[in-house]
Amino acid sequence: MTAPRGLGLADPERENAVLLAIIEAATSGPGVEPLAAAVAHVITEATATDVCFVHVLDDAEPSLTLAGATPPFDAQVGAVRLPLGTGVTGWVASHREPVVIPADKQDDPRYVAIPGLRGEAYTSMVSVPMESEPAGLVGVLNVHTVARREFDDRDVRLLRTIGRLVAGAVHQARTHRRLAAREEAHGRFAEQMVAAQEAERQRLARDIHDGISQRLVTLSFHLDAVRTFLDRAEAQAAQADLTTACDLVVTTLDEARAAIGALRPPVLDDLGLAGALAALARGLPDVRVVLDLDDRRLPEHVEVALYRIAQEALQNVLKHADAEEVTVRLESSPDGVALTLADDGGGFDPAAGSRGYGLASVRERAELVGGSVRVISRPGTGTTVTVTVPLDTQPNDEESAGNT
């Protein structure tokens, strides 16, 4: 007795109805998993197949993850993963060619049994790649039947057409997911920037209130005293208060310059980042300095951040390292910039925590410009701190019925 025809669709009208249902499912929402589940449901409801699995190519590694499945196998979504080239599904993904197995799939050398998916309960299967332009390969679509069925070229063509429709929808869903993640990252970055700016404003306000403002008040008292002494013709007392007032003016000017420098170091405008880093390093007392500095100008916020990071790190060296030599290296490329500060001091165990506040501040400043920090150190071997900042950053985008 001849086995029934595979998908069980007797005419083009029913095939078109399936394709329309797939298109409707593909436009139901932006999520990859809901899309895959909807497609699996449509296929098994509209055809003579018993189980459908949608495997999606992973973003970060060459493997497939089960993204959608007919119940009860939907419980395995996200848990079944397969490297490319392994199993029937992995073979289809690697070769981008369909596979039809009408029976005895366990005899196929590409077959891999997945215990949780009860492959022994299903006889026939078809596996087709899901690919389209411009999405390329996005995954593999599998259908299975309990009874033996004969899948012909027409069945395979229809499944490949479904695969192309799903591929485009998955590509759009992934693009939407990446954009959403990027917007979320932008939001977090903006929150960090606002928090950092507010903290800087509060610090500057405290500095002005506790330093400059108080000294100006004291200065006004002394100038009032000078005027009083001059009215009384007490020249010696007036001279003493005038001297104190002049000293306060000098101190206040120094504090005002420091406050301005805290907002944007003037040395960056005068010397650029490379020159400013050289001046910082050479200011360390009793320490040999080795410099390897790229003088390419960088975005203003990156230069400020790297300068402040160098300040923190070099102060850390001065306070804790007991170093004889410090190397400062600045390397840039179109993609990013790396600042390395290495000393030959006492070192420490990074796993036991950073040395004081300095490294915590370094990490915070690096994160604010989308960068990262790597610390290499051991007791007695010195410390190397490398800060990497991307220059073009956007803060800064699945198995079958017991077998694949």
Side-chain angles (χ1 to χ4, degrees):
M1 181 177 178
T2 303
R5 185 178 167 224
L7 294 178
L9 300 174
D11 54 66
E13 185 175 341
R14 291 187 61 189
E15 291 180 358
N16 290 336
V18 172
L19 293 176
L20 288 173
I22 292 294
I23 293 172
E24 185 177 351
T27 59
S28 61
V32 174
E33 288 76 16
L35 163 64
V39 167
H41 174 76
V42 167
I43 290 175
T44 53
E45 286 293 312
T47 69
T49 58
D50 299 303
V51 178
C52 179
F53 296 90
V54 180
H55 308 268
V56 174
L57 193 65
D58 294 327
D59 287 330
E61 54 188 270
S63 61
L64 295 151
T65 298
L66 184 64
T70 307
F73 302 109
D74 52 344
Q76 300 296 322
V77 167
V80 176
R81 307 187 72 179
L82 192 72
L84 294 190
T86 301
V88 175
T89 299
W91 188 94
V92 170
S94 296
H95 293 77
R96 300 193 179 189
E97 293 291 337
V99 169
V100 178
I101 303 178
D104 302 321
K105 58 189 172 185
Q106 65 274 8
D107 295 335
D108 192 303
R110 297 167 295 191
Y111 171 76
V112 173
I114 306 297
L117 299 183
R118 304 202 309 266
E120 68 281 358
Y122 299 89
T123 303
S124 303
M125 72 170 290
V126 182
S127 181
V128 298
M130 299 189 303
E131 57 183 339
S132 69
E133 294 294 339
L137 180 75
V138 302
V140 175
L141 175 70
N142 291 347
V143 294
H144 301 263
T145 61
V146 173
R148 175 169 178 154
R149 300 189 71 87
E150 296 296 335
F151 294 95
D152 58 19
D153 291 344
R154 183 175 173 180
D155 295 319
V156 173
R157 283 197 300 272
L158 178 61
L159 289 173
R160 296 199 75 169
T161 301
I162 293 173
R164 284 192 289 272
L165 293 172
V166 176
V170 168
H171 178 67
Q172 291 179 345
R174 282 183 156 173
T175 301
H176 181 275
R177 184 173 63 190
R178 292 189 187 104
L179 290 174
R182 183 173 294 175
E183 289 178 2
E184 183 180 353
H186 273 301
R188 290 197 302 268
F189 182 76
E191 290 175 2
Q192 290 177 324
M193 287 297 295
V194 170
Q197 290 169 350
E198 186 60 28
E200 194 71 5
R201 290 190 186 99
Q202 291 176 353
R203 183 199 60 76
L204 186 58
R206 287 195 303 270
D207 288 348
I208 293 174
H209 178 271
D210 297 340
I212 297 173
S213 296
Q214 295 299 323
R215 295 189 191 283
L216 287 175
V217 170
T218 305
L219 176 61
S220 69
F221 289 154
H222 283 284
L223 291 176
D224 284 340
V226 169
R227 182 173 56 191
T228 300
F229 287 134
L230 289 176
D231 289 343
R232 297 174 181 174
E234 298 179 24
Q236 186 173 359
Q239 181 66 36
D241 273 298
L242 191 58
T243 299
T244 301
C246 290
D247 291 340
L248 284 171
V249 169
V250 172
T251 301
T252 304
L253 283 173
D254 289 341
E255 290 184 351
R257 292 190 183 101
I260 293 170
L263 296 175
R264 174 168 173 83
V267 69
L268 287 176
D269 295 321
D270 298 336
L271 303 178
L273 180 59
L277 293 175
L280 271 179
R282 289 173 179 146
L284 293 177
D286 304 320
V287 177
R288 293 190 306 274
V289 175
V290 178
L291 300 174
D292 181 10
L293 304 172
D294 187 336
D295 60 1
R296 173 188 174 195
R297 294 310 300 258
L298 304 172
E300 182 176 305
H301 69 288
V302 175
E303 289 194 340
V304 173
L306 291 178
Y307 180 81
R308 295 302 186 202
I309 286 169
Q311 274 186 317
E312 296 281 4
L314 292 175
Q315 281 299 311
N316 227 26
V317 170
L318 190 62
K319 293 177 181 177
H320 304 287
D322 192 25
E324 296 181 356
E325 182 176 285
V326 171
T327 298
V328 181
R329 181 175 294 107
L330 181 67
E331 303 168 287
S332 63
S333 71
D335 297 326
V337 58
L339 171 65
T340 301
L341 302 107
D343 67 70
D344 62 352
F348 69 105
D349 180 7
S354 61
R355 299 179 296 183
Y357 173 78
L359 287 181
S361 177
V362 164
R363 294 185 191 279
E364 290 173 1
R365 290 185 183 275
E367 290 171 359
L368 283 174
V369 290
S372 59
V373 179
R374 184 185 183 195
V375 179
I376 301 175
S377 185
R378 290 201 314 270
T381 65
T383 300
T384 299
V385 177
T386 302
V387 180
T388 305
V389 179
L391 293 182
D392 189 21
T393 184
Q394 298 290 338
N396 222 311
D397 123 308
E398 296 173 1
E399 208 102 347
S400 97
N403 69 91
T404 55

